[in-house]
Amino acid sequence: MQKQTIVIPMAPVSKGRPRLTTRGGFARAYTPKRTREAEEKIREALKEQWHHEPLECPVALEMMFYMPIPKSTPKKQYSAVLGAWHVKKPDIDNCIKLVSDAANGILWGDDSQVCSILAMKKMDKDPRIEITISW
């Protein structure tokens, strides 16, 4: 079994729901701008660090989402929240979905190949996403 860890230097965000609009009497779905920008940033980081063809086998993922510590946190409590569980929005399942969709065609052919996921959300002074892929 092989493994590789990829670090994406950005604050984790969740995958936004498709939005609907009408133009000329026709309904049209579109992806919110924030989601598109986040997916593109993830894709760029994946392409820089992944030096293989997209995998065609089952994969297992470990994802660590390091969320920024809120600016409202008092300095006295700063060290206490460092590494603590992040229990607010964004939801972890939406963060996973954003990363797995962005990785399509780069890490694997389709995210249906992901057979196992271990994911955690913690607070850190250095917001980032760490993905360990095993195949």
Side-chain angles (χ1 to χ4, degrees):
M1 181 174 277
Q2 295 182 348
K3 245 183 202 192
Q4 182 176 339
T5 299
I6 296 170
V7 178
I8 302 166
M10 65 176 273
V13 295
S14 64
K15 175 132 183 150
R17 295 176 186 253
R19 304 290 182 210
L20 297 172
T21 185
T22 56
R23 279 200 158 154
F26 295 97
R28 182 181 151 246
Y30 67 95
T31 303
K33 182 179 178 182
R34 182 176 179 198
T35 300
R36 282 195 321 266
E37 290 171 349
E39 282 182 341
E40 187 54 39
K41 192 168 185 177
I42 292 168
R43 274 192 215 94
E44 288 172 14
L46 293 175
K47 287 176 184 176
E48 286 175 12
Q49 298 176 55
W50 183 253
H51 305 294
H52 308 283
E53 290 294 315
L55 298 172
E56 296 179 9
C57 58
V59 298
L61 298 176
E62 292 178 32
M63 294 185 180
M64 288 294 302
F65 296 97
Y66 292 99
M67 311 303 283
I69 296 172
K71 293 179 182 177
S72 62
T73 304
K75 292 192 190 263
K76 289 180 181 180
Q77 294 179 354
Y78 194 82
S79 62
V81 299
L82 197 61
W85 294 111
H86 186 272
V87 293
K88 297 181 181 185
K89 290 191 181 262
D91 297 350
I92 197 167
D93 55 334
N94 292 329
C95 293
I96 292 168
K97 185 68 176 154
L98 180 77
V99 172
S100 64
D101 285 350
N104 281 337
I106 300 169
L107 299 182
W108 47 72
D110 186 75
D111 54 355
S112 63
Q113 293 170 238
V114 177
C115 297
S116 173
I117 299 175
L118 171 65
M120 290 182 254
K121 220 173 43 158
K122 293 192 171 194
M123 290 190 274
D124 198 275
K125 61 183 176 190
D126 181 24
R128 65 195 180 282
I129 302 168
E130 291 181 3
I131 306 165
T132 301
I133 181 170
S134 304
W135 68 98

